Amino acid sequence: MSEKLQKIAITPDTHTAPPAKFSHGVKKGNILQVAGQVGFGPAVPGQAPAPVGPTLREQTLQTLRNVQSVLEAGGASWEDVVMVRVYLTDTAHFAELNDIYNDFFADLKEAPAARTTVYVGLPAGLLIEIDALAVLG
């Protein structure tokens, strides 16, 4: 009989505790799933999380940094990511998202991962959410 792999919750110091019963990331074996991250700035004790700004660029860059924080806390990097899912609130933002995304990953030799983009409703003020799946090793 094989040994059951432990599931480890990941919450970087830069993040506040999630508002419901979930984790910012979960690692099991060599798999790390990063939960949907949004453009909230780093956690400030005693303050509710808030978007870093009203623009897609500001929120996308912070969201990518937040995903990266969870990846790093779980022992991974963008090089380990095999799937990225992007959730946008406005179809008109797709081209701008691609420009921001390409700039953010300009230093990577290969595309960071397969990507899916869908359009959704998010809480007021939020324009984007991103999650990622990484395979370590």
Side-chain angles (χ1 to χ4, degrees):
M1 179 179 257
S2 64
E3 185 177 323
K4 186 173 179 173
L5 296 174
Q6 181 181 8
K7 207 165 41 168
I8 301 166
I10 308 293
T11 299
D13 294 339
T14 55
H15 288 52
T16 58
K21 196 170 178 93
F22 66 88
S23 301
H24 287 290
V26 173
K27 185 175 177 182
K28 188 169 184 176
N30 68 336
I31 303 292
L32 172 60
Q33 175 64 55
V34 177
Q37 301 294 302
V38 295
F40 290 156
V44 177
Q47 291 184 10
V52 293
T55 69
L56 182 67
R57 174 167 289 280
E58 290 167 307
Q59 289 191 27
T60 300
L61 291 173
Q62 185 63 49
T63 300
L64 289 165
R65 286 190 291 266
N66 290 344
V67 170
Q68 185 169 328
S69 291
V70 178
L71 289 169
E72 290 171 354
S77 73
W78 285 110
E79 300 288 345
D80 300 306
V81 174
V82 296
M83 182 65 194
V84 173
R85 284 171 292 270
V86 177
Y87 308 89
L88 288 174
T89 60
D90 189 337
T91 58
H93 288 158
F94 188 74
E96 183 181 1
L97 165 70
N98 284 337
D99 289 341
I100 298 164
Y101 197 86
N102 288 340
D103 288 346
F104 186 85
F105 292 112
D107 293 338
L108 289 183
K109 292 178 184 176
E110 300 176 3
R115 189 183 99 188
T116 298
T117 304
V118 296
Y119 301 95
V120 299
L122 291 172
L126 293 173
L127 303 174
I128 187 166
E129 182 172 338
I130 299 174
D131 71 47
L133 177 65
V135 179
L136 290 79

